[in-house]
Amino acid sequence: MIFQSIKTSRLKKDQISQIIKLKNTYWDYGKNSQIKWFNKNAYPNDLHNLLLIKRKIIGYTFLGKRFYLTKNNKKRYILFSSLILNKKYRKFKYASKFMNFNNKVIKKRKIISFLYCDKNKVKFYKYFGWITLNKSMFKVPDHKSKQIGMVFNLKKSKTFLNTSLKFYYHL
């Protein structure tokens, strides 16, 4: 089992192809739609965390370098998206090892991370230290969703918790 974190600009065509194929096993929009999403959303300095077994990508997470706004400041954050594991490996607790790797990559950058998830995934992310945000605390102006917002690597402060945040999915 090998973990890798690679910038978009350094991904090889074969790796992108494997990522798209893996994503399409969970989000069945078709390969062309997956390619279109990748080309639109993966900027050159974004990170792609990979879990490999025998050079085959069996796990993938997208970590996009984005920004959020508070009342007076523009700050960087990491958009956490597309956590996926090959179905064959989900029962072997690879998800826990992969999430620990994802969190380690985020902590190393010393900024917060934000994700949207379905209600049935909240418990999983909370187990790994993610915090649920009240809907009144944040907005995502360029990405509409009814999912739940969560953050990681947050130093709890009254200033942050009393601020309305605007997270942006696109640069």
Side-chain angles (χ1 to χ4, degrees):
M1 174 174 28
I2 297 171
F3 297 102
Q4 292 181 340
S5 190
I6 304 172
K7 287 184 178 184
T8 303
S9 61
R10 296 192 174 216
L11 282 172
K12 296 175 183 164
K13 286 183 181 182
D14 176 58
Q15 290 171 313
I16 295 170
S17 178
Q18 284 188 60
I19 289 166
I20 287 170
K21 186 176 179 182
L22 179 61
K23 284 184 67 182
N24 203 54
T25 64
Y26 189 79
W27 298 283
D28 188 15
Y29 298 119
K31 288 183 183 179
N32 288 337
S33 178
Q34 295 290 353
I35 291 167
K36 189 176 179 180
W37 182 93
F38 191 91
N39 290 335
K40 179 182 177 187
N41 294 288
Y43 301 117
N45 288 320
D46 288 341
L47 297 174
H48 304 269
N49 286 350
L50 311 175
L51 172 54
L52 298 103
I53 293 183
K54 297 180 182 176
R55 296 186 186 177
K56 182 179 179 188
I57 297 172
I58 63 132
Y60 173 73
T61 307
F62 174 81
L63 299 178
K65 296 180 180 181
R66 302 295 187 265
F67 72 92
Y68 70 95
L69 299 175
T70 62
K71 281 184 180 178
N72 304 317
N73 296 317
K74 180 178 179 179
K75 296 184 178 188
R76 295 182 313 128
Y77 85 96
I78 296 172
L79 171 63
F80 185 103
S81 180
S82 303
L83 173 65
I84 179 95
L85 282 170
N86 181 305
K87 288 179 186 177
K88 294 178 189 176
Y89 296 94
R90 291 180 192 163
K91 61 185 173 186
F92 297 110
K93 297 191 180 185
Y94 286 93
S96 292
K97 292 177 183 181
F98 196 36
M99 272 305 294
N100 286 329
F101 175 73
N102 287 322
N103 285 353
K104 183 178 172 182
V105 170
I106 293 165
K107 284 180 182 178
K108 184 178 178 181
R109 279 149 183 84
K110 298 179 182 176
I111 58 176
I112 68 168
S113 185
F114 172 82
L115 66 77
Y116 266 137
C117 71
D118 293 327
K119 190 175 184 177
N120 65 344
K121 303 279 192 282
V122 169
K123 187 176 178 181
F124 173 81
Y125 288 111
K126 279 187 174 183
Y127 180 82
F128 292 99
W130 288 75
I131 300 167
T132 306
L133 291 175
N134 186 309
K135 287 191 183 265
S136 65
M137 290 178 61
F138 74 97
K139 291 179 183 169
V140 185
D142 60 349
H143 185 83
K144 302 296 179 210
S145 177
K146 294 189 181 211
Q147 294 176 307
I148 295 165
M150 299 185 79
V151 291
F152 177 75
N153 207 30
L154 172 69
K155 293 178 183 172
K156 292 181 183 176
S157 71
K158 289 181 182 179
T159 304
F160 185 89
L161 296 174
N162 292 327
T163 304
S164 180
L165 307 170
K166 289 184 182 177
F167 291 96
Y168 288 86
Y169 260 53
H170 304 285
L171 295 177

